[in-house]
Amino acid sequence: MAGAGTIGLELLEDLPGLTDVVISIGGGGLIAGITVAIKALKPEARIWGVETEGSDTMGQALRAGQIVQITPTSLAKTLGAPYVAEDALTLMQRHLSQHVLVSDKEAFEAGVFLLERAKLNTELAASCTLAAARRLKGVFSESDHVVLVICGGTTRWIIGGVPATAWLIRASL
């Protein structure tokens, strides 16, 4: 979780005007680390957590108020944690603006958009952030600076000889 916090620090360094960050949730470590860093330095920033249907471990835990165990069925395999970390749940209960649940189909369609428009070949666990932002677009104003954290472990590409694991893109929703 602490290592993921450096992503939050880098986001604020590169985009000090950010207002919203959309992050997918697997076991909760990535979103928890980013959230701690961002909320420490910019408490007014909104954090949006995303899961796909069938891998909604955090969503179920938030509704239950405790850790729950699930058998993931989503095609977004890297979101398929059977349960979330207790500290991640506590942080999300305190800091999450909203939990967004999207379908695998929505994540796939967002992935096609990212491939066609941004030339990013993403896995569903990454493209689901765009699917969530599309659902939330009525919440965002023109002055908001929305960041989608696009990362993942099941799609790998090399740019300039360096593995690329996380990307920021600018696109119209």
Side-chain angles (χ1 to χ4, degrees):
M1 187 169 42
T6 62
I7 296 170
L9 297 175
E10 290 177 28
L11 289 174
L12 288 171
E13 182 179 320
D14 292 345
L15 303 164
L18 72 79
T19 58
D20 299 86
V21 185
V22 184
I23 311 163
S24 60
I25 306 170
L30 179 68
I31 193 169
I34 293 171
T35 297
V36 167
I38 289 177
K39 288 295 193 174
L41 299 174
K42 191 165 189 167
E44 70 277 14
R46 296 181 292 188
I47 306 295
W48 308 89
V50 186
E51 291 177 304
T52 53
E53 295 169 354
S55 286
D56 57 331
T57 311
M58 182 65 77
Q60 289 188 35
L62 287 167
R63 285 189 299 280
Q66 63 183 11
I67 305 283
V68 296
Q69 187 142 357
I70 70 164
T71 301
T73 59
S74 171
L75 296 175
K77 296 302 179 197
T78 55
L79 297 186
Y83 56 90
V84 294
E86 189 172 337
D87 51 355
L89 175 59
T90 301
L91 286 164
M92 293 307 98
Q93 288 170 324
R94 186 176 310 133
H95 296 296
L96 195 64
S97 293
Q98 184 177 328
H99 174 268
V100 183
L101 189 64
V102 300
S103 68
D104 283 342
K105 183 177 187 261
E106 288 173 292
F108 179 79
E109 289 169 350
V112 170
F113 176 90
L114 289 168
L115 183 59
E116 291 177 349
R117 300 285 181 93
K119 307 305 182 220
L120 294 176
N121 184 19
T122 62
E123 63 171 306
L124 297 179
S127 61
C128 72
T129 61
L130 176 57
R134 286 176 169 169
R135 280 199 177 189
L136 293 166
K137 80 178 186 179
V139 174
F140 305 131
S141 71
E142 286 189 29
S143 63
D144 287 336
H145 296 258
V146 180
V147 173
L148 309 180
V149 176
I150 298 182
C151 64
T154 60
T155 298
R156 184 174 173 90
W157 59 90
I158 306 294
I159 297 178
V162 178
T165 56
W167 285 89
L168 299 175
I169 64 162
R170 182 176 213 156
S172 295
L173 301 177

